[in-house]
Each structure stands twice: as structure tokens, then as C-alpha cells.
Amino acid sequence: MIRICPSILNANFDDLPNEIRRVAGHADLLHLDVMDNIFVPNFTFDLAKSLEIIAESALPVDVHLMIDEPDTEAVKFATDNTASITVHYEACNDPQQTLRDIRSMGVRAGLAIKPNTHMEEIQELLSEVDMILVMTVEPGFGGQRFMSEMMPKVEMARKWFRQKGWDEKWIQVDGGISLETIRTAYLAGADTFVAGSAVYRSDDPAEMIDRLREEALS
Ligand code: DX5
Ligand code: ZN
């Protein structure tokens, strides 16, 4: 069981409900990249716009918060159509409390780490998460090269989850996922895949999602 989560970062922002409808029925979750121009050098959507997109989305939404100090802000993204909220370990003042607050809203809690953050730093927090997101690019922009050197982190997460019997926790990768790279990430132990430019720069986004799924499991 794997999940493909198209990121709308490379979609047409002027027609998002329709862009999301194009992939519904093929994708599992919609990945929403929220950037504040502080934690990352780019801005996408504020809270109000994010809630609008989530409400109109034909797919349940996987919110990826690339915002500084998300501690009190994160829970505001919880709605009936929000499947998960992921915060960055590096951005939180109190990651444990923030993850607990997200879970208390009845939403899955995700913890993301940037390429320079080691898995050992978040080991103690893993009992508090429903998903770990291993970034395979520096967060901020779509269309970057997949960092295969992050795969040992994915392998380590998979090993820990197995040892603990945490079968219900997901391991997500985000950045540079394509037909060329998805199998590598799958073999390392990822089960949840974000794909931005691979999906929305292709001629047929829905078909690309099917092909990505097949390629991962090939
Ligand atoms: C990058 C974002 C990603 C981005 C992925 O900071 O978190 O979700 O949209 O885009 P691609 O798949 O093009 O690397
Ligand atoms: Zn993302």
C-alpha cells in the first residue's frame, strides 16, 4: 500500500479546484505546500487562502507547513478535509507539544526534516508522529534534483518503525520524485510520495500518477 500525493506548487494557481479535480480518482492525497518566506525563501499561501483551497479540494489534503514557529498556527489548518498536518522539526519551538496539538484535532501529525537534519535528532519524537517526512531537496521550490543521499535516513526510519511494530506510521519523501527516482525511494522504505513537477509538468497529470505508482511497485 503506497500513497501518491501530487503537490500543486507547479499547478496553475488561478484554477486550483480544477487542477485538483484532474488528479482526483488517481491520487491519494493532495499535498499543499505552505511557505512563509521566513522558514524558506519563498511564499505560497497564507492561512485564509490555504483554508479556501482545502475546502474546495476534491481530495483530502496533506498540509506541509514550511513556516517558522508553526507551534500555535498548525492546528488552524485542521478541517474536515485535512488528512494530515506536517511541521518542520527545525521550525518548532516545542515539536512534541505541536504534534500533540495536531493529533488532538483528529488529524494525522507529520514531522519533517530538512536535508541537513539527522534522524537521531528526532528519534525521541517518533512515538508522537503519524508520519515522518524526509525532505529529498532543500525545501522552498519545486523542480529540484532528488537527493539520493537522503535514502539512509529513510532506511533508518523504516528500520525503527519495524522494530517498534509501528506499521500504521507513514514515511514520506518530498522533492525530485519522478519516474526515475520513485523506485529508489520505495526500496529504501518510503510509502508516501510527493510529486510536484513530475505530475503537473506532464501532459497528462492523472496518467502520470498511475505510472508513478506502477514504477514504485515494479
Ligand atoms: C518543496 C516542496 C515540494 C515541491 C516538490 O519545498 O515541499 O512539495 O512541491 O516539487 P518537485 O516534485 O518538483 O520536487
Ligand atoms: Zn512539500
Side-chain angles (χ1 to χ4, degrees):
M1 171 67 178
I2 64 168
R3 285 154 292 270
I4 309 284
C5 316
S7 157
I8 50 172
L9 204 54
N10 279 294
N12 175 8
F13 278 16
D14 295 329
D15 192 13
L16 284 178
N18 198 36
E19 290 279 78
I20 298 165
R21 232 172 282 123
R22 287 169 80 191
V23 296
H26 296 260
D28 298 278
L29 298 165
L30 180 82
H31 183 83
L32 183 67
D33 288 306
V34 180
M35 305 187 187
D36 65 353
N37 207 17
I38 299 170
F39 182 66
V40 289
N42 194 4
F43 184 86
T44 54
F45 317 109
D46 62 11
L47 174 66
K49 181 68 186 170
S50 299
L51 291 175
E52 201 180 294
I53 296 169
I54 295 168
E56 288 179 343
S57 171
L59 282 165
V61 179
D62 165 40
V63 180
H64 178 191
L65 292 180
M66 285 162 277
I67 62 175
D68 198 31
E69 300 186 353
D71 302 67
T72 54
E73 201 70 1
V75 290
K76 298 179 187 167
F77 292 80
T79 78
D80 287 349
N81 206 26
T82 307
S84 60
I85 299 173
T86 298
V87 292
H88 269 268
Y89 169 71
E90 305 87 359
C92 291
N93 293 316
D94 187 343
Q96 185 183 56
Q97 190 57 48
T98 307
L99 292 164
R100 287 181 179 175
D101 290 346
I102 294 170
R103 275 182 153 180
S104 76
M105 303 297 287
V107 170
R108 294 178 67 93
L111 187 64
I113 51 169
K114 297 206 285 183
N116 287 334
T117 304
H118 298 287
M119 281 296 294
E120 289 79 1
E121 293 178 56
I122 62 161
Q123 189 170 11
E124 297 293 309
L125 289 164
L126 293 181
S127 60
E128 312 275 349
V129 308
D130 297 297
M131 179 171 85
I132 159 166
L133 165 51
V134 176
M135 288 303 298
T136 42
V137 297
E138 246 348 297
F141 300 92
Q144 303 182 73
R145 184 190 66 87
F146 173 76
M147 298 169 76
S148 58
E149 56 276 32
M150 295 300 121
M151 292 306 99
K153 292 203 256 185
V154 175
E155 286 163 9
M156 195 178 282
R158 180 53 68 201
K159 196 175 119 202
W160 288 348
F161 283 11
R162 248 189 224 124
Q163 281 171 355
K164 294 276 188 185
W166 286 337
D167 302 328
E168 73 293 348
K169 294 187 199 286
W170 300 349
I171 301 174
Q172 186 176 52
V173 283
D174 181 8
I177 295 297
S178 68
L179 290 173
E180 284 69 45
T181 60
I182 194 166
R183 178 86 180 142
T184 301
Y186 174 79
L187 290 174
D191 53 33
T192 306
F193 305 85
V194 178
S197 46
V199 169
Y200 276 107
R201 282 190 200 153
S202 81
D203 295 336
D204 189 339
E207 189 207 9
M208 179 52 75
I209 290 165
D210 296 345
R211 289 179 64 197
L212 285 166
R213 196 187 303 276
E214 279 164 28
E215 185 60 32
L217 301 172
S218 64

